[in-house]
Amino acid sequence: MDSSVSPDELDHVSHEHGHDEEGSKMFGFIVFLLSESVIFLSFFAGYIIYKTSAVNWLPPGVSGLEIKEPSINTVVLVSSSFVIYFAEKALEKHDLKTYRLLLFLTMVMGGYFLYGQAVEWSELEFGFTSGTFGGMFYLLTGFHGLHVFTGILLQLIMLLRSFVPGNFDNGHFGINATSLFWHFVDVIWIVLFLLIYVWQ
């Protein structure tokens, strides 16, 4: 009786093993994002508690935050989630040219957001030590900005790796995880925008 395994069967077993491994990696990454969510949720809760209990919430001489430019930055950042989604779809179709273009565009949009935030910081009339509001504002927006910067670096890595022959032969975990991280960053910003800029 011939107990040998055909090449097709070996390929099927290898594919199934790779699929399971990629699924395990994604599960671990989702757990990581959940832990990040807990950190942000604790910040949100602290912000709400301080805001609703403080007698003088805003620093002296500050009546509120300008909302126009942050709104534009928000639209750009949220729109970038759709761009990176279509980049994923392009990769699934093996359209590397479109994938690279859309991934680069996502990076540019993220960079625009960080630039807009830097400009806003430079024009503010209060600092990190300007009361509870000042400390919470810079902590929340700065911590989120760090995540945006991390997301851009991950996208850069994914873009560079797309030029390595055979990089996607074993799956698309890298870009899938990077895209998920970017969506997470966008959702967190929407909550921050509502808390800080809309709820004044």
Side-chain angles (χ1 to χ4, degrees):
M1 183 179 207
D2 188 3
S3 60
S4 61
V5 180
S6 68
D8 289 341
E9 290 174 319
L10 283 174
D11 182 66
H12 176 73
V13 171
S14 176
H15 176 75
E16 288 296 325
H17 175 72
H19 180 74
D20 292 341
E21 184 178 354
E22 189 166 323
S24 297
K25 289 179 179 178
M26 184 57 71
F27 175 76
F29 190 73
I30 291 174
V31 171
F32 163 73
L33 289 182
L34 288 175
S35 67
E36 289 289 290
S37 299
V38 171
I39 297 174
F40 275 107
L41 285 174
S42 64
F43 285 161
F44 296 159
Y47 183 89
I48 294 172
I49 291 171
Y50 284 130
K51 179 176 173 60
T52 54
S53 61
V55 177
N56 297 311
W57 175 240
L58 295 174
V62 177
S63 58
L65 295 171
E66 195 275 327
I67 196 173
K68 180 181 178 181
E69 292 302 322
S71 296
I72 296 174
N73 289 339
T74 299
V75 171
V76 171
L77 188 64
V78 173
S79 298
S80 69
S81 261
F82 294 96
V83 178
I84 198 172
Y85 168 78
F86 286 114
E88 279 187 282
K89 292 302 178 183
L91 182 59
E92 290 175 5
K93 298 176 182 177
H94 308 288
D95 184 357
L96 284 178
K97 183 178 180 180
T98 303
Y99 163 74
R100 290 165 181 157
L101 177 63
L102 292 177
L103 193 59
F104 179 74
L105 179 58
T106 306
M107 293 170 57
V108 171
M109 296 172 80
Y112 178 88
F113 175 85
L114 289 181
Y115 171 76
Q117 190 171 67
V119 171
E120 180 191 14
W121 280 16
S122 68
E123 297 176 348
L124 291 174
E125 300 176 350
F126 60 90
F128 187 80
T129 58
S130 300
T132 305
F133 173 76
M136 291 297 294
F137 173 85
Y138 282 99
L139 175 64
L140 287 170
T141 58
F143 191 56
H144 175 266
L146 179 62
H147 281 71
V148 174
F149 181 72
T150 301
I152 294 174
L153 287 181
L154 291 174
Q155 291 165 30
L156 176 60
I157 293 172
M158 291 303 103
L159 180 62
L160 295 176
R161 288 183 62 182
S162 71
F163 292 96
V164 178
N167 178 69
F168 300 112
D169 290 349
N170 296 320
H172 304 155
F173 168 75
I175 184 59
N176 291 337
T178 298
S179 179
L180 183 60
F181 181 82
W182 197 248
H183 297 320
F184 167 78
V185 167
D186 285 359
V187 170
I188 291 296
W189 177 253
I190 291 174
V191 178
L192 280 177
F193 180 76
L194 293 175
L195 280 179
I196 297 175
Y197 296 96
V198 177
W199 184 34
Q200 294 193 52

